[in-house]
Amino acid sequence: MSVDKETVAKIANLARIEVSEDELESTVGELNNILDWVEQLSEVDTDGVEAMTSVVDASLPRREDKVTDGGYRDQVLKNAPQSEHGFFAVPKVIE
Amino acid sequence: MTKLYPGVTGDWEAVIGLEIHAQVISEAKLFSGSATTFGAEPNTQVSFVCSAQPGMLPVINEECVRQAVRTGLAMGCEINLRSIFDRKNYFYADLPQGYQISQFKDPIVGEGEIAIELSDGSTKIIGVERLHLEQDAGKSMHDQHPTMTYVDLNRSGVALMEIVSKPDMSTPEEAAEYFKKIRSLVRYAGTCDGNMDQGSMRADVNVSVRRPGEELGTRTETKNVNSIRYVMQVVESEIRRQIDLIEDGGTVDQETRLFEVATGTTRTMRSKEEAHDYRYFPDPDLLPLEFSQEFVDELAAEMPELADAKKERFIADLHITPYNASVLVAEKENADYFETLLAVTVDKTGKPVSELGKLVSNWITSDLFGALKKLGKTISENPVSVENAAELLNLQVEGTISGRIAKEVFENMLESGNSPETIVDEKGLKQVSDTGAIEAMIDEILSVNADKVEEYRGGKDKLYGFFVGQVMKQTGGKANPQVVNQLLKPKLDG
Amino acid sequence: MTDLTKLTLSEARDALHKGDISSVEITQAHISAINEAKELNCFIEVTSDKAMDMAKAADETIKSGNAKGMTGIPIGMKDLYCTKGVHSQTCSHILDGFKPEYESTVSQNLWDDGAVMLGKTNMDEFAMGSSNENSYYGPVKNPWRAKGSDKNTVPGGSSGGSSAAVAADIAIATTGTDTGGSIRQPASFTGLVGLKPTYGRCSRWGMIAFASSLDQAGPLTKTVRDAAIMMESMAGYDPKDSTSTNIAVPNYEAALNGDIRGLKVGIPSEYRVDGMPEEIENLWTQGKEWLKSAGAEIVDISLPHTKYALPTYYIVAPAECSSNLARYDGVKYGLRVTGDSLDDMYKKTRAAGFGDEVKRRILIGTYVLSAGYYDAYYLKAQKIRTLIANDFKTAYQKCDVILTPTAPSAAFNLGEKVSDPLAMYLNDVFTVPASLAGLPGISVPAGLSAEGLPLGLQLIGQAFGEEQLLNVADVLEGAASFNYKPTKWWGE
């Protein structure tokens, strides 16, 4: 399976990373190298094999329903590039 | 018989499915220990986990798991003892992680069926596909600033149950009844407060149309519809829009739409125009959720009585009419009020439940509900205490006042806030049951109205009411109706 | 007066507990050494004031008789760990200026035990790399150079700053993180001991995530004993991490009894890869001999799916990272590049903030999870991962630990492999399988290459079998007697 410029542009969009027209060319090459290399996995017979859900052989631990966190807005907003009136502020979105 | 919608070129059928998002009642969020209460100051119920700071990890809240199971049990669905949490990846300002933790292929609750009652008296079964747990997103406010959107993450991470129906509905009414039923179920089960104004319950409405017998058409999804009425409007307008579009030669786009309250119709949601590739995969920060059948059975055993069972019991044991039973169980608070009032009334009168059920339920459904509606209040805001309401009923059962007078007394109770005994005393509204006095009164009336007596005896049965009216007039409405009838009829008949 | 920077952790501990030296003294000595070694670029933030405060507090603790193994020991902390109020950026531009308001569990464990923070060490951005050439703060220079050469070599990656620092004796020990080999391979390139514990042994809370099902915390130290002491402090169950395992942390140092008689050491045939340098194969054979002489039994084993481990890793890890790194969007912390719209801001911020390797892996990861490709790539890889884990389970029916080389070469020169991502990935060929299976692995310095650069041998253990693993490693270390140090070319 290999990718072309159009596909890479789509993936870059899904990943919200701007890739310039020049970069697109080299990125296609790099990704194809890697994809060609991982292609060998299709040789492996995985019929009847369960996909690994976790190396940890346990089920999900559950915690008590208690309010033990939150309530420190200043700390939460401290590293924000922009915050106003207690909100995170971002360029306006039009729905 | 599926309803048909007439178009220019022939008839159409509508196929409707609902994805209901119900916020779970719990103290803390699904995967973090932040609080969930509505209406807090922005970002004050946000931890490092729910603001997706680097290195933060999710830990699941056991109560949210129980609430999902309870809801599944209330809907009669299959409970899956093992389920997986997946990440649903997309970018949006109110989604701090850049993914939502949800369940994709292996949800906690599986298939079930919901019975809904339609206005024509028929019952329809609507299938439930699944219920899964997922995180709610935060809130973006686009109208607070000219160039910026403000983001509040208080709601980010609150537990949601997504209840997905099968596409078994075909009319706005069916969609509304299904939505109402689910709302009632979760309120009964205590797993969601169903408060649509606050956003704790909302629906994504999927609509498509097709010619009868043909394959499914392309569906549209209208997101975040937060009232029963709006759901009906969405369904109606979408059916119409799609039929018109296709008949005009166009095709329906598979898209996401938003409901516009002002126009009562839907429009395309601009920001979600591109097809989403959510790239679901099992969340590697979480392990499979597993619990035993014992765990489920324990929850089932502690479940409160649900609407359908309650209705059956009201009819069978309390001898109330099916209609009244339906009305009362539609909202848990009403059913609870009924049983409370009934119990107190039983106490006062010493009569058994089976005898009083009808009286109490009738009083609630006609008198009380009528009054509450006029006042614009809900049952939890009822100005009349249970004590006083029970006393009012007791006075009737005792025969101290008639049903008619009771209505007068009730009006007064609402205005003055006084107890019924006080009002009856002050206004001298005690029923007159003295047979002697009434008999004398009847004799007088009959003698004064001899001509009418003749007419009555000649066949004009309708005049009976005139005589009763006269007795009532003379007693200021306080004559005991049964006594009047007992004495009047034989005298009139002669 | 002994040069305090030449002490091992256990030597320093003993001296501190005896009162022969103070934490203030040994911390100061290391800070001076750090300042002299700026050229190596091991530390991207030196917290000297904080270090002195912590050292003073540690001295108090020692005086009161409550000292633990790590009390007073000056260590470097990999920049991947969130340290409260201190630079924590995984050496990425996208986390510019980020100072967390919380401390990672593992670093807190060390501070609770009285360890002293010298500063944050350099690393490959977001732990993606095998040479520390992917850091926003520039590459790290390995204190080791080939004989007679003045070319700089790489210290390995992603924990390159951590490994170089200990090798240059400017930190007694450092923390690293290992996802596909990022502790073990740098240890091998710099002549150190590097331990990656069983997945779930250490908490990941507060560790900036790369690949959640693989990331693990671990120490880089001068000796196996040092690793045992430090591991005991770092490890432990954390209810804030759902993948953390609730098993008590034993006294790892106490497990070093030197006795491996009857122990079965597995030698996997598939690790003999094409084009493997002869000297590495010879070292591996030498390792077998050493263990045999100590009383172990050598067993040939097969791990049939070994060759698929690297490609499997390069599907699973990018997939997870593509999702883990979605939160770096300019909204809540770090870099923001303004845009005309929200989407524009995302795209520009992430393009400017992430380095090339990170972007590559995010794109691969996004692709392998996308509609139409999920089954063929991600799901397939997760199934093969099961097969790889099963290979080990089967092998452990025949042996107790497994011996392999750590890396397919000695440290290569800076810039040599940087333009060939695939060549770079191949560095992890021996370390990745244990990561995929969640098993513990340790690299022990075993010899020098013909050019005089360190070569390590890896031991892979059973799940939560760190005691046995450390014990074998201790014996191997003793037999190898790697008493070499890099010739100091930096400073002045």
Side-chain angles (χ1 to χ4, degrees), chain B residues 48-49 51-60 87 89 91-99 105 148 151 153 274 277-287, chain C residues 82 95 98 101-102 199 204-209 212-213 239-243 319-320 323-324 326-329 332-333 336 342 346 350 366 369-371 374 378:
Chain B
F48 298 126
V49 176
S51 56
Q53 306 270 335
M56 292 297 97
L57 296 170
V59 182
I60 201 167
R87 293 189 185 177
N89 299 281
F91 284 85
Y92 201 57
D94 60 15
L95 193 68
Q97 290 160 243
Y99 59 85
K105 293 202 178 133
M148 308 241 73
V151 181
L153 297 178
E274 313 156 355
D277 185 349
Y278 293 119
R279 291 157 279 134
Y280 286 98
F281 72 103
D283 193 328
D285 287 331
L286 297 168
L287 305 170
Chain C
C82 283
L95 271 170
F98 179 66
E101 290 288 304
Y102 47 90
Y199 182 85
R204 292 183 300 112
W205 196 89
M207 277 172 62
I208 299 174
S212 316
S213 74
K240 300 195 297 295
D241 172 6
S242 297
T243 58
E320 292 180 10
S323 182
N324 283 333
R327 65 187 59 194
Y328 303 104
D329 56 10
K332 312 162 297 280
Y333 35 73
R336 175 187 291 195
L342 183 65
Y346 286 153
R350 290 160 66 79
T366 306
L369 288 176
S370 64
Y374 179 87
Y378 186 75

Side-chain angles (χ1 to χ4, degrees), chain A residues 41-51, chain C residues 305 375 379-385 387:
Chain A
L41 295 182
S42 58
E43 295 165 14
V44 185
D45 181 9
T46 51
D47 276 341
V49 181
E50 286 283 314
Chain C
H305 297 91
D375 284 359
L379 191 60
K380 185 83 177 173
Q382 286 289 66
K383 288 183 177 180
I384 296 175
R385 195 173 169 184
L387 292 175

